[in-house]
Amino acid sequence: MTGNTPILVPDVSQDKISIKGDFNGAQLLLFGAITYPPGTRNREQADIVVVLKGPTESIVVREKQQVAGIWINAASSEFRSAPGYYAVASSRPVEEIVDDKTADIYELGLNHLQLSPAGAIDSQELTRFTDGLVDLNSRSRLYKNLPNSVEITDSVLYQARINLPASVPVGEYSAETFLIIDGRVEAAEIKDITIEKIGMGRFITNLSQENGFVYGLLAVLISIIFGWGAGYLFRKI
């Protein structure tokens, strides 16, 4: 980085979000400042784009097909590293800030996500399954474009608010902030964020991941107890 390059100083309201049993979502504030070197031009044309994403996971996308009035699984495609959550907040619509090539390089926007298929796949098939995954997660509020949601004050201070749904997956996230002037990325910085479960929710999650057999037995036992309890109450009524 040279002395003629602007510097981003980003921060977040919380770098660790704890999910309890009554968790119904949270709002994350991403904010910071832009430091310009002396004589910098076009400061008033600066835009900010913030990409919040994570955790990456392998996922299989399946198509549903109706046969004889019954919906069945048809074709499928596996992606090696799809983000469980992905949001792009920007001071203007992304298509007004950068061209498609730049948006593809930095994955700025839902239409520019670069998902890695697990095997060889036709480009048209890849586009179809990618669009399906994006649509599914958009309807679940896990993927979103947020144009005009970054406020810039005096070309120096900026802030963006991103709402996380109750279904947000736990894991490691990255919040990457881009300073863009005249369509060019002039600076970029990353802040790490952790979303984790605590209490009983954390115990159950860890058990399911680390000891699936015991978790399965516990689930069956709980089902039997609740079933017995419901039957007992029904006989008493």
Side-chain angles (χ1 to χ4, degrees):
M1 183 176 295
T2 67
N4 294 324
T5 303
I7 298 174
L8 275 172
V9 186
D11 207 346
V12 293
S13 56
Q14 304 176 72
D15 58 12
K16 182 174 289 187
I17 298 174
S18 299
I19 296 179
K20 302 179 181 178
D22 59 351
F23 180 77
N24 58 3
Q27 185 178 82
L28 191 63
L29 174 64
L30 305 105
F31 61 96
I34 310 165
T35 301
Y36 296 94
T40 300
R41 301 174 57 190
N42 301 330
R43 290 173 48 166
E44 69 281 356
Q45 298 178 22
D47 283 289
I48 291 289
V49 179
V50 179
V51 178
L52 176 65
K53 63 180 177 181
T56 57
E57 57 186 356
S58 176
I59 187 171
V60 177
V61 180
R62 293 184 172 88
E63 279 188 331
K64 294 289 187 178
Q65 187 175 24
Q66 192 172 31
V67 178
I70 301 175
W71 288 98
I72 62 173
N73 289 329
S76 65
S77 180
E78 181 180 359
F79 295 101
R80 287 194 297 262
S81 57
Y85 181 87
Y86 177 91
V88 178
S90 54
S91 52
R92 290 187 292 151
V94 169
E95 60 270 19
E96 297 179 9
I97 299 175
V98 294
D99 57 24
D100 287 342
K101 181 179 179 180
T102 303
D104 286 338
I105 292 173
Y106 295 100
E107 294 187 275
L108 305 180
L110 296 180
N111 295 334
H112 303 282
L113 266 176
Q114 306 297 314
L115 302 179
S116 301
I121 184 173
D122 177 81
S123 60
Q124 292 184 344
E125 290 282 297
L126 176 60
T127 298
R128 191 171 86 251
F129 280 106
T130 299
D131 290 345
L133 176 63
V134 169
D135 178 67
L136 178 65
N137 283 333
S138 295
R139 286 188 277 114
S140 301
R141 297 189 300 148
L142 293 174
Y143 281 14
K144 59 185 73 174
N145 282 330
L146 302 169
N148 304 311
S149 60
V150 178
E151 299 179 11
I152 303 177
T153 304
D154 297 329
S155 301
V156 174
L157 303 177
Y158 70 88
Q159 65 172 11
R161 299 178 187 274
I162 297 180
N163 293 318
L164 304 174
S167 58
V168 64
V170 298
E172 300 300 320
Y173 287 68
S174 65
E176 190 163 9
T177 303
F178 299 91
L179 170 65
I180 302 172
I181 301 177
D182 288 339
R184 294 179 54 185
V185 175
E186 296 290 345
E189 294 291 340
I190 297 179
K191 296 289 289 186
D192 295 325
I193 299 168
T194 300
I195 298 180
E196 62 179 4
K197 288 186 177 181
I198 62 174
M200 182 58 68
R202 181 176 183 178
F203 170 76
I204 293 174
T205 298
N206 290 342
L207 185 63
S208 66
Q209 294 175 347
E210 299 171 5
N211 198 325
F213 178 72
V214 174
Y215 172 77
L217 288 179
L218 182 61
V220 171
L221 180 61
I222 292 175
S223 298
I224 292 173
I225 292 174
F226 274 99
W228 178 86
Y232 177 80
L233 291 176
F234 182 76
R235 290 194 299 271
K236 288 294 185 178
I237 296 176

